[in-house]
Amino acid sequence: MSKWKREMIETSRGCFEVFEKGEGEPVCITHHYSEFNESGDYFAEIFTDNNKVFLVNLKDAGRTDKAKNAYELSMVDALLDLEEIRKVKGYSSWTFAGHSTGGMIGVLYGIHFSSSLISLILVGSSAREYSSSSSKCIYNDGHPKFKRMQELMELLKLQPTVGDDRNRLSKERTQLSLFKPENYDLYFSRNIIKKMSENRLNFFSREQLIFDVTRQLSAIKTRTIILCGRHDVQCPVEFSIEMNDLIPDASLHIFEKSNHYPFLEEEFEFKRVLKSVLS
């Protein structure tokens, strides 16, 4: 698997580290608090067969500029930054694809900049705060595996947790979000390594508490493709169904044997659906 090409893009809003791969129509991908590198990203890799993909490190992630003000870490500022990157790259429009918190940024992108989007792809995501309102969410204290997820997250925050111990904890944490946890090594077999921006994660933890743009979803005026695993424990499928009901030109595809990672758990079917809706 070839590595991604790294580029530093100067914009009026700062300098951004962007990784590029593939040929074809442009697709922009980011995540609220992931730090990407030349090894790429499992979700982004799905699109490189047929598209030119731009994988963006937001403020305080990777080698992108640091935020000078706290608000620069917000989802709204993220989409403003993406718009400037699009303009510098010379595209009148592109597709945005987001998984999980990347999809939450995508929802805002569609609400405020539909004219800049060829299409919008939202995977395992939500248009509002999801943890407190659904006991099906593993971040809700009513979920049977809530306590263990919290324990793992706290252990992973500890600096001394490195090497094999960290890999073991990270694996267990991810397995909680798989329909077939025993297939972890099959799904995550590529040499893709990424980190988290602690500043961005901490900001998101506060921002998501008041996040709710459901009443604005009718403002999305671009073709929207919503994909979700039937058994998603991070952003339960009910939130994808809700977005499909409220976004005018939306289509919903539910993967019956997937949890939070349908692009890995049902990769062939996921690619087939993408091809059918994007062609």
Side-chain angles (χ1 to χ4, degrees):
M1 185 178 66
S2 61
K3 288 190 175 182
W4 291 63
K5 176 186 174 184
R6 175 178 170 273
E7 181 181 3
M8 298 301 297
I9 298 180
E10 291 281 356
T11 77
S12 62
R13 294 179 58 83
C15 186
F16 294 86
E17 185 179 33
V18 179
F19 299 94
E20 302 174 15
K21 187 176 180 181
E23 298 294 336
E25 291 295 312
V27 174
C28 174
I29 294 175
T30 196
H31 184 274
H32 199 293
Y33 47 81
S34 289
E35 288 192 353
F36 305 109
N37 54 59
E38 286 88 347
S39 67
D41 172 71
Y42 281 98
F43 177 62
E45 196 70 41
I46 294 292
F47 294 83
T48 59
D49 290 343
N50 302 298
N51 298 94
K52 185 172 183 64
V53 182
F54 297 91
L55 183 60
V56 180
N57 271 336
L58 298 169
K59 294 277 184 72
D60 270 24
R63 299 179 188 175
T64 290
D65 282 355
K66 299 296 182 183
K68 297 177 182 178
N69 304 285
Y71 64 78
E72 294 178 66
L73 301 177
S74 69
M75 285 185 272
V76 170
D77 267 62
L79 67 96
L80 294 174
D81 293 338
L82 296 176
E83 271 293 89
E84 290 306 305
I85 293 171
R86 176 187 62 79
K87 293 172 185 176
V88 170
K89 295 304 294 183
Y91 293 110
S92 59
S93 60
W94 58 9
T95 289
F96 180 85
H99 172 235
S100 196
T101 66
M104 295 167 78
I105 293 172
V107 169
L108 285 171
Y109 209 153
I111 290 170
H112 296 285
F113 295 105
S114 276
S115 61
S116 298
L117 297 174
I118 299 169
S119 56
L120 177 62
I121 301 171
L122 308 172
V123 181
S125 196
S126 173
R128 61 185 171 97
E129 189 275 328
Y130 45 85
S131 59
S132 68
S133 57
S134 173
S135 60
K136 295 178 182 178
C137 176
I138 200 166
Y139 300 115
N140 183 289
D141 59 11
H143 192 280
K145 295 182 180 179
F146 167 81
K147 183 178 179 180
R148 184 54 181 162
M149 175 61 90
Q150 295 303 307
E151 291 172 346
L152 290 168
M153 290 177 69
E154 289 305 312
L155 287 169
L156 285 166
K157 288 180 182 179
L158 298 175
Q159 292 300 323
T161 309
V162 295
D164 291 342
D165 282 345
R166 186 172 189 83
N167 291 338
R168 177 180 55 81
L169 293 171
S170 180
K171 177 178 179 178
E172 184 183 348
R173 178 177 179 269
T174 302
Q175 284 180 309
L176 292 175
S177 299
L178 293 175
F179 181 61
K180 294 184 176 180
E182 65 273 16
N183 286 349
Y184 174 91
D185 291 330
L186 174 65
Y187 300 144
F188 296 92
S189 61
R190 297 172 177 175
N191 189 30
I192 294 176
I193 302 169
K194 63 181 181 181
K195 298 187 296 183
M196 291 190 297
S197 165
E198 186 174 350
N199 286 345
R200 294 198 64 86
L201 177 58
N202 289 338
F203 191 94
F204 172 75
S205 296
R206 292 164 175 79
E207 185 179 25
Q208 63 94 17
L209 293 174
I210 58 171
F211 181 71
D212 185 348
V213 294
T214 50
R215 287 182 294 178
Q216 300 177 62
L217 291 178
S218 61
I220 298 179
K221 304 300 182 185
T222 189
R223 176 179 55 174
T224 303
I225 300 111
I226 302 168
L227 306 103
C228 190
R230 174 69 72 183
H231 309 279
D232 196 325
V233 295
Q234 292 201 35
C235 292
V237 68
E238 62 202 66
F239 296 98
S240 286
I241 294 171
E242 178 180 66
M243 289 192 293
N244 182 64
D245 290 341
L246 297 174
I247 297 174
D249 188 17
S251 61
L252 172 65
H253 304 271
I254 299 173
F255 296 85
E256 299 295 337
K257 297 180 180 180
S258 291
N259 194 316
H260 193 54
Y261 300 92
F263 50 91
L264 296 177
E265 299 175 87
E266 296 181 72
E267 181 177 349
F268 179 81
E269 179 65 8
F270 191 90
K271 287 183 174 180
R272 187 195 67 76
V273 170
L274 269 188
K275 185 176 181 181
S276 68
V277 296
L278 291 179
S279 59

